Amino acid sequence: MSLNIVMIGPPGAGKGTQAERLTRAYGIPKISTGEILREAVSAQTPLGLQVGETIAAGSLVSDDIMIRVAEERLARPDVAAGVILDGFPRTVVQARALDAMMEGRGPIIPIVIVVPEDEIARRLVQRRVCADCGATYGAFGPTGAPDAGRCARCGGMLVQRKDDDDQVIRQRLHVFEEITAPLVEFYRTRPTFASIDGRQPPARVTEDLRAAVEAGMAVARNDGRGKKGRA
Ligand code: ADP
């Protein structure tokens, strides 16, 4: 049975950082659709040229494109034992498509990281990313940006993400509330669903996430034996 985790949360909730930690804890790859798109934009591939303006405006790339991106990535053999999805699905249409892609692979564990809007806005204006390797540095807690303004991993320059400017942040939060929040309702009734308080220190969020993953796996194992009932 594969371990398939879907991380949901507003921009700046810490999905990327936490997905990275789960990758290490469970030895399964993380797929960040935002990273895939940003790489395509900087490499100026046909996909990148198609989506560059949309990302810069803080809007969502179309479901058709995103479903194709996810399908291609999920067809690669490294995700056979499972995957951590960061940033996909972001719409109910994408979530339905993901269900179809995951058919026969094992259940999805959807986890939402909840953070209030004022905290999100504060985090995003302070966030920096490495121009070379894409590593993210928040100005909060132990993941804070190194003083030298250089990436601790590769020494690259730390810069602000183009879509982390005030106005684009507001647009992305609006998109999250309008389009992505209904995803939570889509997944809420699943026995593997969990919701976590993302205002806690990152290490506590990781603990809660791991507990949610363990609980989700236990439920999935029981379902696999045909026990559908739940308290
Ligand atoms: P965030 O910090 O907003 O969670 P991401 O790195 O996940 O940022 O995504 C950056 C941008 O890439 C989004 O604002 C959107 O334009 C695009 N994008 C990423 N994933 C998706 C998706 N699943 N559906 C539509 N657009 C997406």
Side-chain angles (χ1 to χ4, degrees):
M1 189 178 69
S2 61
L3 171 59
N4 304 299
I5 303 168
V6 167
M7 313 259 297
I8 305 166
K15 295 187 300 284
T17 307
Q18 296 295 340
E20 201 73 54
R21 294 181 183 190
L22 292 183
T23 284
R24 267 174 280 163
Y26 294 105
I28 52 176
K30 151 193 128 150
I31 298 178
S32 157
T33 45
E35 267 171 30
I36 293 175
L37 297 178
R38 278 190 293 281
E39 275 166 27
V41 170
S42 64
Q44 300 193 319
T45 65
L47 170 68
L49 295 173
Q50 216 173 350
V51 302
E53 280 179 25
T54 311
I55 296 176
S59 306
L60 288 189
V61 172
S62 76
D63 286 334
D64 284 356
I65 293 178
M66 291 317 302
I67 289 167
R68 209 175 59 225
V69 166
E71 266 169 0
E72 276 171 19
R73 183 61 188 85
L74 288 170
R76 304 227 305 247
D78 63 331
V79 300
V83 65
I84 299 161
L85 288 170
D86 161 22
F88 183 92
R90 249 187 173 82
T91 67
V92 172
V93 171
Q94 292 177 15
R96 293 214 169 91
L98 179 66
D99 278 343
M101 290 176 223
M102 286 296 167
E103 184 93 42
R105 285 199 199 208
I108 289 169
I109 301 177
I111 306 178
V112 53
I113 304 181
V114 180
V115 183
E117 201 167 309
D118 52 348
E119 166 74 6
I120 290 293
R122 192 180 65 77
R123 288 182 184 184
L124 288 179
V125 290
Q126 296 176 349
R127 176 161 80 178
R128 296 292 179 273
V129 293
C130 174
D132 291 341
C133 76
T136 296
Y137 296 88
F140 39 92
T143 55
D147 288 342
R150 293 272 173 186
C151 178
R153 198 152 74 182
C154 76
M157 282 283 286
L158 297 184
V159 297
Q160 190 161 32
R161 238 170 74 174
K162 273 213 188 73
D163 59 352
D164 276 350
D165 95 19
D166 219 26
Q167 196 147 3
V168 182
I169 288 171
R170 257 196 294 270
Q171 165 66 7
R172 282 157 60 214
L173 284 171
H174 173 74
V175 166
F176 179 80
E177 279 310 319
E178 291 292 310
I179 303 173
T180 305
L183 257 194
V184 176
E185 299 317 311
F186 177 82
Y187 282 129
R188 194 183 292 283
T189 53
R190 302 210 177 170
T192 49
F193 174 85
S195 174
I196 282 167
D197 180 359
R199 283 170 309 183
Q200 307 175 92
R204 288 293 304 277
V205 176
T206 308
E207 273 173 33
D208 282 4
L209 274 169
R210 292 192 60 161
V213 171
E214 305 296 332
M217 286 199 293
V219 168
R221 272 194 298 269
N222 285 339
D223 269 7
R225 289 190 207 107
K227 286 189 221 151
K228 291 270 192 250
R230 249 177 51 95

